[in-house]
Amino acid sequence: MRILSNLINVLFFTGIVALLFFFLLQQMEKEAPQGVFYSEDVSLPDNLHPTVKERKDELVERVREKGIQIVITEGHRSEEKQDALYAQGRSSEGEVVTHAKGGESYHNYGLAIDFALKAEGGNVIWDREYDGNGNGQSDWMETVEVAKELGFEWGGDWENFKDYPHLQMDFGLSIRELKRGKRPGDDSLNDR
């Protein structure tokens, strides 16, 4: 009976140690420098991910077929440019346009684009009510609908900070995973 009691105690203690190790490992991953849990030599991309670029081009063409012209105002964005945008409305003049510092935006990983509409006369506008093709629907929302069909997530659906021009594909990766060097493959969404 004593042997069984000792065995149960050892198993219980081992289980507690395993749980502690599991939670400590997760915490270490959060705080570890880039490369500790993923590849060490993974640099930030300097252009759009191939699938994002392909879908961006398809978006432009599909909305053009509906009589809507859009302009891609931003694609890949460097960390330096992201930091400058983050400073806007904080330590530099202008309105706050982002809550993401350098390395914290899907733009920095080539996984996001921003768009605007091109109105008659060639003006670039961010008017979400504009109906340039005259079909009784907002050109903005028609564009968002097509973008979602192509696999984009829309910043206008976010709870805390609405980013209406923003479209992204995260490929199931968090910013934390991207910061640690994990990257989507080149054919990540090609089987829609």
Side-chain angles (χ1 to χ4, degrees):
M1 192 64 157
R2 188 167 205 192
I3 293 173
L4 183 59
S5 176
N6 285 342
L7 181 61
I8 290 172
N9 285 337
V10 167
L11 289 174
F12 178 76
F13 179 75
T14 304
I16 296 294
V17 169
L19 281 172
L20 284 171
F21 180 76
F22 175 76
F23 288 113
L24 285 173
L25 185 62
Q26 284 185 327
Q27 187 63 34
M28 286 171 46
E29 182 182 358
K30 289 178 187 175
E31 297 173 5
Q34 180 174 336
V36 173
F37 289 90
Y38 299 117
S39 176
E40 287 183 28
D41 298 324
V42 178
S43 60
L44 285 176
D46 58 6
N47 51 30
L48 284 178
H49 183 278
T51 301
V52 176
K53 182 183 181 322
E54 175 187 312
R55 300 294 168 82
K56 168 196 65 101
D57 294 342
E58 193 172 341
L59 174 65
V60 170
E61 183 56 36
R62 284 186 52 189
V63 298
R64 182 178 299 136
E65 291 169 3
K66 293 176 173 265
I68 301 169
Q69 284 194 330
I70 63 170
V71 176
I72 303 303
T73 58
E74 189 85 69
H76 173 270
R77 186 183 297 145
S78 70
E79 281 187 288
E80 296 77 23
K81 185 168 183 181
Q82 187 70 40
D83 283 335
L85 285 174
Y86 182 80
Q88 188 175 316
R90 293 176 177 88
S91 59
S92 67
E93 290 192 28
E95 292 184 34
V96 171
V97 293
T98 185
H99 291 290
K101 295 179 181 177
E104 296 175 356
S105 170
Y106 284 97
H107 283 284
N108 303 140
Y109 302 92
L111 303 178
I113 60 173
D114 292 337
F115 76 96
L117 301 173
K118 189 180 250 188
E120 284 186 41
N123 292 332
V124 176
I125 60 172
W126 286 263
D127 181 348
R128 294 190 322 269
E129 304 301 320
Y130 178 75
D131 180 19
N133 63 0
N135 67 354
Q137 299 176 11
S138 155
D139 290 355
W140 195 276
M141 294 311 297
E142 285 186 84
T143 301
V144 167
E145 182 181 314
V146 173
K148 288 180 177 183
E149 289 171 6
L150 292 171
F152 284 101
E153 175 187 336
W154 179 44
D157 288 333
W158 296 344
E159 289 294 318
N160 297 329
F161 177 73
K162 303 290 187 185
D163 191 351
Y164 296 106
H166 184 86
L167 301 168
Q168 71 182 35
M169 292 183 172
D170 63 20
F171 299 92
L173 297 173
S174 68
I175 289 293
R176 184 179 68 176
E177 289 173 311
L178 291 166
K179 287 175 84 170
R180 295 225 164 43
K182 198 162 188 181
R183 300 289 184 266
D186 286 349
D187 59 352
S188 296
L189 288 178
N190 281 334
D191 299 328
R192 28 175 182 147

